[in-house]
Amino acid sequence: MQRMREARHMQFTHEQEPAIRSLARIIKLVAFAFAGTGKTTTLVGYAQARPEARILYLCYNKSVEVAAKQKFPLNVTCKTSHGLAYGAVGTKYKHKLCGNLRLTDIARAINSQNWEMVRSVQDTLNNYLASADEKIRLFHFPAEKLQNERMRRAADSIVEATRRLWAQMCDVNNHATPIPHDGYLKLWALSKPDLSTRFDIVLGDEAQDINPVIAGLLAQQAAYGMGVVVCGDGHQMLYRFRGAVDALNAPWLADAEVHYLTQSFRFGPAAAHVANMILHFKGERRQLAGLGQPTRIAKALPTDLEHQAILCRTVVGVIEAALAKVEAGAKIFWVGGIEGYNLQDLEDLHALSKGKPDKIKGKKLLQDYPDYDHYKDVAFESQDSEMTRSTKIVEQYSQNLPELFAKLRRNAVTDELEASITLSTVHRAKGLEWDAVQLAEDFAFEPFDPDNDPEAWVDEMNLLYVACTRAMQVLAVNSTVLVIMQEFVDRRDGRKPDAPLAFQKKAPAAA
């Protein structure tokens, strides 16, 4: 172990100090590490205490990487897993990279216009890419589609089609079939990279939300003899839909030294109380303590704020919030960058809907869809949520969408200090914080509907919990959170029985 020095410039709690000073090679900051409890601060202190160590801080998205570089000392390299993989493998595919593999890309590769089959191939591929498995197998086929005999008969052919698709994606010389960023990440992980030649220690934050590919990568580094520190909060798991698992419970961490963090310094008691109401219905009996400055809870933010953050459930919600604010001349900071919110794709789709192919910049859209009706048919038949959301916003702003988007671009700023509004989805906001936060009304979720799917219910409650714990001074809750707060008060005061929530299926264990 490298010689350890005192962490500088920060005051650490009695919970943080033992983790920072630990000499253990494998460490977990786990389970009770609620929002705002200083998980990242603890990791910063850990790095400061080891100035000679070469440390990798593995970030789960680009916005966290940018923020981390402002916090960690010079001996820490802050990188996303995709960033590491791109340098090692991804550059070979730069001529055929894509953000997401389109349904039409898959249809061409497997030579099919059966959109239900194409969507099943897409789901099978995504399950494989998120897994730690070396080969595509039948168990990567979506389990929920094995419930009828027709799909069970089709499963083998769909798996075989997925294998053909993957081979074409991996072929550097095949320019017709693109590869998404998760594709080269998978290839890098399959190569079993040894990072111990470049780093002594890897810090894995948000371990409750990494997929098996990255969980396997961390396990490999531990096997190679690297020091590994992982931390997370099961209540902040947001990426199950991408195949995420809670790596904090992985077998290779069974003998790790465990440290717990339970006190939040981001916000005060009122915000903690709102968070605890949400956690109550998840079955959490430990209380999050809000030890930060007093945080006010309201239904709307004050009108005279210099800056506010608006957190949305969906990308479409972010765009709609931007459109509502831009008419007043607001300078807007888009978390992750405005280019990450698909404005050009929506403009192209709008041009397609108006029968103006000459206005379409991404000519691939025209290659895939001869007209807008065909696009809508594919969206309906495949039940593709992104395509459906896109048609919604194109039709809602049919009259002047290009002009509105041009204004959004003019009013976008890249320095958040210049912004009067920050916009983000909750997924991108995880790990971030602001003085004043407004929750948008696009959380289409009824928390006490007995027909809720248990896993989907947990995911939505986690999103609300993360959203409610971003504010330091003022939190303006939405109608969904108000429903939860009212239900909690009714049960607490005896107007309703405080019985466990009942779902049609067995509810999952609390995070």
Side-chain angles (χ1 to χ4, degrees), residues 98-156:
C98 65
N100 291 300
L101 205 60
R102 297 172 185 262
L103 291 173
T104 47
D105 295 325
I106 298 172
R108 275 194 299 273
I110 67 173
N111 193 26
S112 173
Q113 55 181 325
N114 179 338
W115 295 107
E116 185 179 4
M117 176 182 180
V118 170
R119 180 61 189 270
S120 295
V121 168
Q122 183 184 55
D123 291 340
T124 303
L125 175 69
N126 288 339
N127 288 341
Y128 167 69
L129 293 179
S131 75
D133 306 313
E134 294 192 5
K135 296 182 179 180
I136 299 171
R137 304 288 192 190
L138 184 60
F139 51 75
H140 296 121
F141 183 84
E144 68 274 9
K145 293 186 177 180
L146 287 172
Q147 294 177 3
N148 65 71
E149 186 60 33
R150 183 173 63 86
M151 290 304 295
R152 280 193 286 271
R153 289 196 301 269
D156 285 336

Side-chain angles (χ1 to χ4, degrees), residues 82-92 188 191 193 198:
H82 286 89
L84 290 168
Y86 184 79
V89 175
T91 52
K92 295 191 300 184
W188 181 60
S191 73
R198 297 168 56 191

